[in-house]
Amino acid sequence: MQYLVIMGVLIAVAVILIVVIIVALLRGKQEDQGEYEEDEEGEEHEEEEAGEAEQAPRRKRKPIPPQGEHTTDEGPSVIGQAINHQSKEGQEAEEEADRVPGKKLWKVVLENLGNWQKSTFVFYENIGIGRGNSFPQFEKFMTIKDDSRVSKMHCAIIEKDKKLYLKDMGSRNGTYLNGKRITQPVLLQRDDIIGVGETEIEVQSMMREKD
């Protein structure tokens, strides 16, 4: 009889322990699930904030002007040996470093109308234009890398008698000035359009030191 009582007590204790364990497991699972949902909600909130942060600068981005219009802000210069647009003090320092006694400096600003990039050149006698990087006969060189119809040494801007001329350098596809192909050096003026391959370059500014 005592044996049966002891067995009954042990079975009851075992059942109680099993119930307690099951309840504890269920509560732990619910808590874990709640924490996961909170984290996921927090991640969604962070993603929304990140999305807003990414969209913010896009709203401030200036639209690319249509063909035929010109921007007033000077973009970065990334072509050849052009001087990057920088502070007035920096430009004056570079001009002073390039200065040669007895000669007058030219400052020319050219803009690639295909990608709206401006380049400023400070020189005495010439600027080369082409798909190459530089040639020893040119003081400065404007490199056009994204146009396969441009020759490595395509054309040049050359100083003569205090004026600037555009000269074709034996290019494969020819050099154009304001839509007309040139066969000999032609006087270059402000607002002229130089055509090389599929690229058009506008002469935005031409300045020379005073005598």
Side-chain angles (χ1 to χ4, degrees):
M1 186 67 179
Q2 291 180 352
Y3 175 76
L4 292 176
V5 172
I6 294 172
M7 289 296 296
V9 172
L10 291 176
I11 292 173
V13 171
V15 171
I16 293 172
L17 289 175
I18 292 172
V19 172
V20 171
I21 292 172
I22 292 174
V23 171
L25 290 174
L26 290 175
R27 288 182 179 177
K29 184 176 182 181
Q30 290 177 353
E31 291 177 357
D32 292 341
Q33 185 175 3
E35 291 178 357
Y36 176 77
E37 290 176 351
E38 290 177 358
D39 292 342
E40 184 177 24
E41 184 177 347
E43 290 176 358
E44 291 177 355
H45 182 65
E46 291 176 358
E47 289 176 357
E48 291 177 358
E49 292 180 347
E52 294 176 356
E54 292 177 355
Q55 292 176 0
R58 294 180 184 173
R59 298 192 190 104
K60 297 180 181 179
R61 185 177 299 169
K62 300 177 70 174
I64 297 176
Q67 188 74 14
E69 296 182 6
H70 306 298
T71 58
T72 56
D73 294 337
E74 295 185 349
S77 171
V78 297
I79 304 176
Q81 300 178 20
I83 296 176
N84 290 335
H85 288 280
Q86 54 186 336
S87 65
K88 183 177 179 181
E89 293 79 6
Q91 290 186 7
E92 290 177 350
E94 295 209 26
E95 291 172 18
E96 186 65 30
D98 291 339
R99 195 174 304 278
V100 176
K103 289 188 176 183
K104 300 296 181 182
L105 282 168
W106 284 90
K107 180 186 286 186
V108 174
V109 178
L110 303 177
E111 180 174 14
N112 186 329
L113 298 182
N115 53 23
W116 303 99
Q117 290 178 340
K118 294 182 182 180
S119 301
T120 298
F121 298 89
V122 178
F123 64 101
Y124 286 104
E125 296 180 350
N126 54 56
I127 303 172
I129 300 175
R131 203 155 41 86
N133 293 320
S134 64
F135 290 87
Q137 63 266 47
F138 297 117
E139 296 174 60
K140 300 294 173 66
F141 201 87
M142 182 176 187
T143 300
I144 302 173
K145 293 184 177 296
D146 54 355
D147 191 340
S148 60
R149 291 178 57 83
V150 176
S151 300
K152 289 185 177 181
M153 185 170 62
H154 200 104
C155 62
I157 297 174
I158 299 174
E159 191 272 345
K160 183 178 180 181
D161 298 331
K162 301 179 181 180
K163 295 180 180 180
L164 294 180
Y165 294 83
L166 178 66
K167 179 181 179 181
D168 183 77
M169 301 300 293
S171 64
R172 181 177 67 255
N173 295 306
T175 301
Y176 294 78
L177 183 63
N178 299 323
K180 296 181 180 180
R181 185 165 183 168
I182 64 172
T183 57
Q184 58 185 3
V186 178
L187 182 65
L188 194 64
Q189 298 179 351
R190 182 178 177 180
D191 297 328
D192 280 347
I193 304 296
I194 301 171
V196 292
E198 301 293 336
T199 302
E200 290 187 332
I201 302 167
E202 181 181 24
V203 181
Q204 289 206 334
S205 175
M206 294 173 56
M207 294 177 287
R208 183 177 181 270
E209 283 185 304
K210 295 181 180 180
D211 293 327

